[in-house]
Amino acid sequence: MNIRKLLVSRHTSHVICSLLENRAARRFVFDRIRLHLLHESFTCRPGECPSQAKLDRMDVIIGLFNGLDRIIDRGIVAKSVMLRMIDALLGNVFLNEDAMRLERETGTAPPSFVVVSPTGRCNLRCASCYAADAALKGRELPFEVFDRILREKRELWGSHWTVISGGEPFMWRDGDWNLMKLARRHPHDVLMVYTNATLIDDELAAEIADAGNITPAISVEGFEAETDVRRGKGTHGKILRAFEALRKHGVPFAISATATRKNWDIITSDEFVDFYFVEQGGLFGWIFQYMPMGRDQNLELVVPPESRVEMARRMWRLVRDRRVFLIDFWNSATCSQGCIAAGRHGGYFHINWDGDIMPCVFTPYAAGNINEIYEAGGDLRAAISSPFFESIRNWQREYGYNRPAEETGNWLAPCPIRDHFDMFATVTAACKARPINEEAGEAIHDPVHHAGMVDYGRKMVELTDDIWASQYVEPEQYRKT
């Protein structure tokens, strides 16, 4: 039996779980998995992207295994949770035979996951929140629709990974249904839930552990001062209590940080890693750079291009030297072959509380509505076949996705809306994509906003083109000589 078949076999889950409890055996298993993934990456599609991009991806994966090693050593992962995560993550996500089979049978390359924001309600009022408008209106996705999305993406695409955002996801309700009941209804899926953590007490942490397939990603803005300024006084203290409850019940959790002009240097510091990963026990971390959308949208809060370049340098140093899993949604695009929006293969799309279907969580322009698609007899395939999504995927291919290394665009400036706004605005208008809120409608037509975004993208490309060429493209040319 080869390593892939061994890992996806559920009969071996208990054996692997027992092995992981022994440090020497655990590190042997992790080393075998890492070597297999590295071999697979460089032999299956050797020319699909620059070799350095593949090494970036491997460095992040090594950080994940190191994080697992760290929290298992501390004894803050319950065996029941570990067992379910092995089944779900290895068998259904990382080494997903269902997705491979469906791709072979249909000839299509589907997205890997969907982000669902089932509620716009939230118990906080964070400054410049992208969901601020919905928070005031309290809209929610019906259970039947939410449940069908999870079922369909699994049946149609072999997708067992779902990201849950909001609003505050733990506030979602439809009759007797809540997020915990829905998670138990889909036991072979993994739900990564972006949460402010203020509702996670001992009781809810115990429920999450019992379900075994939820990983909370907890939002911070830095340390106590930075978090409380944006999220409200006392919020950071509640987050620390949530960490404690999750550790007590053995639930792995992630850290999620919003980078702005004011705090980017804090969340890419050794002190940040020491506190949240080492001391508090975070397994992995996500950085989402502030996008000027939502309440009080403000170009002045965006991480400046020069700082973003330095932020990338610091982030990769932390990944490689501190061996942590830390992904910056924009600066880590080399790991994902650029932009992953609009239902791209290996990527995702977003469905919000109103059923609006958007290319990305940070793209507040809808291609359609899932409620209307279901009422018309369609399914999730219709959600990603719109001209808006097709146009973005065409741009992704032209920019270098799944192309030979020498034809790859600059993935250090990968984002259609953030780094190539002129193109994005043109496509949005041509496809008549609908703004989902008043702020988005104003932004797309505001000449000052348009000029500011275009100027930002131009500066970012100018600052990173030489880095991209010297570190990613030129080494490929050298290998061929």
Side-chain angles (χ1 to χ4, degrees):
M1 181 180 287
N2 66 32
I3 187 71
R4 177 179 290 279
K5 290 182 179 179
L6 175 66
L7 289 172
V8 300
S9 171
R10 288 180 182 160
H11 298 296
T12 66
S13 296
H14 285 276
V15 175
I16 293 175
C17 191
S18 297
L19 285 173
L20 294 183
E21 291 179 326
N22 178 280
R23 178 183 291 182
R26 178 171 69 245
R27 291 179 178 173
F28 174 81
V29 170
F30 286 172
D31 283 343
R32 296 304 96 193
I33 295 172
R34 283 195 295 261
L35 287 172
H36 172 75
L37 292 175
L38 184 64
H39 174 76
E40 198 171 71
S41 176
F42 278 89
T43 57
C44 290
R45 296 175 181 173
E48 71 174 357
C49 71
S51 296
Q52 182 57 51
K54 295 178 181 179
L55 292 173
D56 288 350
R57 183 181 179 90
M58 284 305 305
D59 284 336
V60 170
I61 292 172
I62 288 170
L64 177 60
F65 284 118
N66 189 60
L68 283 169
D69 191 39
R70 185 178 62 249
I71 65 173
I72 293 171
D73 254 357
R74 286 185 60 180
I76 55 175
V77 185
K79 187 169 183 177
S80 59
V81 174
M82 193 189 309
L83 189 60
R84 291 199 181 189
M85 284 294 179
I86 288 169
D87 273 346
L89 281 173
L90 285 179
N92 297 324
V93 179
F94 293 135
L95 304 171
N96 189 344
E97 293 288 347
D98 286 344
M100 294 175 188
R101 175 182 54 78
L102 288 166
E103 186 175 344
R104 288 193 300 268
E105 292 174 355
T106 65
T108 60
S112 293
F113 66 102
V114 178
V115 175
V116 183
S117 297
T119 180
R121 292 195 300 137
C122 188
N123 57 328
L124 301 182
R125 292 293 182 268
C126 303
S128 302
C129 174
Y130 76 87
D133 180 64
L136 299 175
K137 298 176 181 176
R139 293 167 174 162
E140 309 219 276
L141 203 63
F143 159 74
E144 290 80 7
V145 174
F146 196 178
D147 181 63
R148 182 174 172 181
I149 290 168
L150 297 186
R151 185 180 71 253
E152 276 191 351
K153 74 184 189 62
R154 188 169 61 244
E155 294 172 353
L156 294 173
W157 300 326
S159 170
H160 294 261
W161 175 268
T162 307
V163 175
I164 311 297
S165 189
E168 170 49 50
F170 287 112
M171 292 184 70
W172 176 73
R173 296 286 187 281
D174 185 8
D176 291 334
W177 287 98
N178 60 23
L179 192 60
M180 297 311 307
K181 288 185 177 180
L182 192 74
R184 291 191 183 93
R185 184 175 170 89
H186 297 271
H188 300 304
D189 284 17
V190 177
L191 308 182
M192 185 166 69
V193 180
Y194 283 89
T195 171
N196 61 43
T198 60
L199 302 180
I200 299 179
D201 54 14
D202 189 76
E203 181 180 355
L204 181 54
E207 283 192 71
I208 294 171
D210 182 64
N213 61 341
I214 289 179
T215 299
I218 296 173
S219 299
V220 300
E221 309 297 328
F223 299 105
E224 181 177 13
E226 296 81 19
T227 300
D228 284 3
V229 161
R230 187 181 183 213
R231 296 181 171 271
K233 187 173 177 58
T235 301
H236 195 259
K238 294 177 182 178
I239 290 171
L240 295 184
R241 288 191 287 275
F243 288 161
E244 184 179 4
L246 293 169
R247 289 194 301 267
K248 172 185 173 182
H249 291 283
V251 177
F253 59 88
I255 306 300
S256 173
T258 301
T260 70
R261 179 188 293 267
K262 299 178 179 180
N263 74 342
W264 69 267
D265 55 336
I266 295 172
I267 63 177
T268 52
S269 68
D270 282 289
E271 292 77 13
F272 187 84
V273 168
D274 288 338
F275 183 74
Y276 287 107
F277 289 81
V278 179
E279 182 179 333
Q280 296 298 321
L283 172 57
F284 50 94
W286 304 95
I287 296 174
F288 298 95
Q289 296 179 39
Y290 169 76
M291 287 284 282
M293 53 188 286
R295 181 189 293 136
D296 303 324
Q297 55 192 4
N298 184 357
L299 280 168
E300 292 301 312
L301 279 178
V302 176
V303 178
E306 297 83 1
S307 299
R308 182 170 152 192
V309 173
E310 173 61 15
M311 188 177 166
R313 188 192 68 80
R314 292 187 180 200
M315 182 269 298
W316 282 117
R317 185 191 67 78
L318 292 173
V319 169
R320 290 173 177 130
D321 293 353
R322 302 297 304 275
R323 301 183 72 190
V324 295
F325 181 104
L326 185 62
I327 289 285
D328 179 326
F329 196 68
W330 287 273
N331 282 336
S332 300
T334 55
C335 298
S336 60
Q337 296 192 49
C339 171
I340 61 172
R344 193 204 85 179
H345 178 47
Y348 83 109
F349 61 99
H350 179 214
I351 300 175
N352 76 354
W353 42 84
D354 290 324
D356 290 328
I357 303 163
M358 291 157 282
C360 173
V361 172
F362 301 99
T363 305
Y365 304 95
N369 187 281
I370 194 65
N371 298 311
E372 295 172 3
I373 287 173
Y374 284 165
E375 288 171 4
D379 58 30
L380 280 180
R381 288 171 292 195
I384 62 171
S385 61
S386 69
F388 188 37
F389 276 32
E390 287 283 2
S391 296
I392 293 174
R393 291 199 296 269
N394 286 338
W395 177 84
Q396 291 166 341
R397 286 188 287 270
E398 291 169 3
Y399 200 66
Y401 169 65
N402 214 21
R403 296 172 73 97
E406 64 272 14
E407 298 177 16
T408 300
N410 178 359
W411 288 338
L412 305 179
C415 179
I417 189 171
R418 189 182 184 87
D419 302 319
H420 306 274
F421 189 79
D422 211 5
M423 178 281 300
F424 176 81
T426 299
V427 166
T428 301
C431 298
K432 298 181 172 57
R434 175 176 52 82
I436 66 165
N437 54 41
E438 185 178 341
E439 294 89 353
E442 293 172 353
I444 203 71
H445 298 296
D446 180 3
V448 175
H449 182 85
H450 188 285
M453 292 294 287
V454 170
D455 184 59
Y456 180 94
R458 177 185 57 79
K459 289 178 179 176
M460 193 63 204
V461 170
E462 289 176 355
L463 286 168
T464 57
D465 267 352
D466 286 347
I467 300 172
W468 175 255
S470 63
Q471 296 184 16
Y472 292 86
V473 178
E474 290 172 9
E476 295 298 316
Q477 296 170 347
Y478 175 78
R479 287 186 180 92
K480 293 183 177 181
T481 60

